[in-house]
Amino acid sequence: MIEKKYSNTIRDTLREELLRDEKVFLMGESIGGKQNGIYKVTMGLQEEFGELRVMETPISEAAIAGAAVGAAVFGMRPVAEIMFSNLLALCMDEIHNQAGKFRYVSGGQVKVPMVIRTPTWMRAVSGPHHCGLLDAWLIHSPGIKVVAPATPSDAKGLLKASIRDDDPVIFIEHTALYNVSGIVSEDDYEVPIGVAEVKREGNDVSIITYGILVHDALEAAELLQKEGISVEVLDLRSLKPLDSKKILESVKKTGRVVVAHEGPKIGGVGAEISAMIAEEAVDYLNSPIIRVAAPDAPQPANGILVNALAIDRNKIIKGVKKTIQN
Amino acid sequence: LKLTKEDMLEIYETILTIRISEETMYDLYKRGELPGHILPCLGQEAIPAAFSKVLKDNDFVVTGHRGGGHYISRKGDFKGLWAELFGKREGIMKGKGGQIHLIDMDKKTIAGNAIVGANWVLGTGAGLAALFEGKGTIAACFGGEGSTNRGTFHEGLNFAAVKKLPIVFVCEFNFYQLCNHVSEVMTVENVADRAASYNIPGITVDGNNVFEVYDAAKDLVARAREGHGPSLLECKTFKWTDSGTNLRLCPKEVVTWQTQKDPVQLYQSKLEELGILEPSLCKDIKQRVTQKVEEAVAYGKQCSDPSPEEAVEDVYSMPLRNAQGGELL
C-alpha cells in the first residue's frame, strides 16, 4: 500500500497493462513527446514503450475513436484518449453507432475491447467548449459501458477492469481529481464494472453520486454529522451498468435520497437514477428525491459564473436539508 | 504476379456469384419477399472480384455501403448470408445486421456499414491492427465517392498517411450519392486527386474492368505489405440500382452502363477472347453458380425466425446484469 496521486495511479496502471498485454496500446493527442499528455498523465510512457504502442495522433477525434473501434474489432485492445470529455461530441458516431452497436449487428461475432479515457474539465475557466460533460449521452448508448472513478484506488481497479473488458468502456477521469492522493494497493486487482461502493455509512439520508462529487459529498456528510444528521455516501463508480442493487439497498435503509452530479439536471444521469428508485422503491421513501445538478446552461468562462453553476459541498448540504425538512 | 488461367476462372465464378446472388436479392426484394433495406452492388462487381485474387485470407476488409460483393469475394458463409437476407436466426448476424452490415469475422470481413463514411476511420483502425499484426498483413477499405465528402475520409486518410499504415483505400466511384450526380456535390472530377492532400499515391482505373482493377490493386497492396504506407485507388464504376427504396437514377444512363459497360459481360468476353472460357465451361459455371444461389435462397427461406427475447441478446459480452448479479434496470 502506498499513497499516490490519481494521475500517477492512472499512469502506473497504463504502464502495467502495456507490460502485461502486447495487444494493449495507447493513442491520443500529444500523449507522448515533450508534452507527455496535456495533463502529464501519460508521462514517460512513450519513452518506455515507443511511438507505436504510445501513439500520438493528429487532432482528429473521429479518427481516434473510429480507429480504436477498427483496431479493437481486428484483435487489439486500444486505450484512446480524448483530451476533454466535452470533445466526445466530435466522435459520438464512432462511440454510439460503431463501438456500441458492433457486437450486436454482428450477431455476437465481434468483440470491441476498447477504452476511451477522457477527463472531464469542470470548475475551470476555459469556457463552454473545453468544459462540459456528456455522461448522460453515453449511458443512453446501448453497448457502451461507462465508469467514473473517484479515488486513486478505484481508478486503478476500474482501469484494469476496463482494459480487460471485451466491451467498449468510456473511462471518465476528472481534471480536479488528478492531484487528489489516496492509498493504493500494489496488487494486480480489478474493481468490477457495475459495482458501486458505500464510501461512508449513514442512516438518515443517502447521497448517491460519482466522480469528483464523492469528495464533496463526504465533506458534506462530515459537516452534517455535527448537526446530528447521519449521511450515507454511495459512490456509483460505474454509470453503466448501474448498480441498482446497492442503490436500492441504501434507499431502503435511509428513506431519503439526494442524487448529485455535475451535468445538467434535465435528462441527466440523476434522472435515470431517480426514475429507477421511483419505480422500484417509492414505498420506502420518506420524502421526495432531490437532484442536485446543474441548470440547463453551458459552462461560462467567468469564474463567478462558473461557481454559480458548479455543484459543490454547500449545494449538496442544501439538498440534504431539503430532504429532512420534507 | 500474373493471373493464371485458373485464377481467371476463379474470378469468373466469383463475379458471376456476386451478380446472380445480388440480382436474385434485388428481384426478391422488389417482390416484397425480403424484409428490411438493401444496398445491392449490381454494376460494381468487378472490384470485389478483382480483389479476391489480391487479398490474402488473413488480410482485413472493411467496406461502406454496397458491401455484398466483398462479402462474397471473401468467401463469407454464403448460406448464412441468405438466411440473414431473410432476417432469420441462422443468419450470419442472427437477423440483427441485415444486408447493410454483412460481417464474417472468420473471414476478417466487415462488409458494410450504414453510416456513410464510417468505413474510412474503421478501415484506418483495421490498418493499425494490421500494422501490429505484422507479417505483411494489410487492410483494404472500400467506400463510395459520396462518402469521401465526410470529414471521416479526411481524418482517416490523414491519420493513415502520417502513421504509414498498411492500407489500400478504394473508392468505388459510382457517380451518384443517393440520387445526386457527383457534379452536384463535389468539384473534383477524380477522388484520386484528393490523395495529394495526404501525399499518398492516388490512382484512377476503369472500375468495370477486372484486369485494370487487379493490376492496380496488386501494386498498391504489395506497396502496403512492404511497409510503404497507404494509397488511394479510385475505381470508376456505376450503380445500376437504387438503394431498394424509391430513389431514382437517370434510366437512360443506367441502360447505357448496362449495355455498354457491364463488368460481368466485359470480363466474360475477354476470357472468351483469350480462349480461356469455352462455351461448355461457361455453361457449367453458370449452372453451378445458379444452383448454389438457388440452394442458398431455399435454405434462407426455410430458416427460423428469431424469438422476441433475442432482441436484447448480444448487446454486451455478458448478460445485462451487474457484477453482483443484480438485474440491470
Side-chain angles (χ1 to χ4, degrees), chain A residues 252-268:
Chain A
K252 288 174 185 176
K253 177 177 164 192
T254 62
R256 297 175 198 276
V257 182
V258 170
V259 183
H261 60 76
E262 288 190 291
K265 184 189 279 188
I266 185 164

Side-chain angles (χ1 to χ4, degrees), chain B residues 106-322:
Chain B
D106 287 342
K107 303 294 177 186
K108 303 184 192 306
T109 298
I110 309 284
N113 202 299
I115 302 293
V116 173
N119 49 303
W120 304 119
V121 287
L122 296 175
T124 296
L128 263 178
L131 183 69
F132 278 103
E133 182 104 351
K135 297 173 281 189
T137 308
I138 70 136
C141 175
F142 302 85
E145 86 288 346
S147 71
T148 71
N149 296 327
R150 286 265 339 265
T152 47
F153 177 78
H154 176 65
E155 289 198 20
L157 270 71
N158 181 61
F159 189 119
V162 80
K163 298 297 170 190
K164 270 195 154 186
L165 300 182
I167 308 175
V168 177
F169 292 106
V170 185
C171 176
E172 301 176 308
F173 191 109
N174 62 24
F175 287 91
Y176 284 88
Q177 62 155 45
L178 297 170
C179 46
N180 287 107
H181 188 263
V182 278
S183 58
E184 299 172 83
V185 293
M186 51 205 275
T187 52
V188 288
E189 197 181 324
N190 299 318
V191 165
D193 296 347
R194 292 180 167 174
S197 301
Y198 317 109
N199 196 19
I200 62 174
I203 291 170
T204 304
V205 298
D206 176 355
N208 282 13
N209 182 326
V210 170
F211 293 97
E212 260 198 52
V213 176
Y214 174 81
D215 285 341
K218 182 186 56 150
D219 292 346
L220 296 176
V221 165
R223 190 178 175 280
R225 286 200 204 290
E226 286 157 17
H228 300 302
S231 53
L232 176 60
L233 174 61
E234 174 183 36
C235 303
K236 289 275 166 60
T237 182
F238 195 84
K239 61 178 177 190
W240 288 3
T241 67
D242 55 35
S243 63
T245 54
N246 60 354
L247 299 174
R248 289 286 171 263
L249 305 175
C250 168
K252 254 192 194 161
E253 207 179 353
V254 175
V255 170
T256 307
W257 279 83
Q258 285 177 329
T259 52
Q260 293 169 26
K261 293 274 290 173
D262 176 351
V264 179
Q265 196 53 51
L266 287 172
Y267 185 63
Q268 184 179 316
S269 304
K270 186 74 189 168
L271 294 196
E272 284 165 355
E273 197 183 302
L274 291 169
I276 289 170
L277 194 63
E278 301 294 333
S280 64
L281 181 57
C282 183
K283 202 178 143 202
D284 284 353
I285 296 175
K286 273 188 179 152
Q287 204 170 11
R288 188 159 68 230
V289 170
T290 306
Q291 196 184 342
K292 181 180 168 181
V293 174
E294 280 170 359
E295 280 170 14
V297 173
Y299 167 78
K301 222 180 237 181
Q302 57 81 50
C303 283
S304 43
D305 288 323
S307 60
E309 303 82 68
E310 290 169 46
V312 293
E313 291 173 5
D314 299 315
V315 181
Y316 297 92
S317 56
M318 58 184 77
L320 286 173
R321 291 173 189 283
N322 71 26

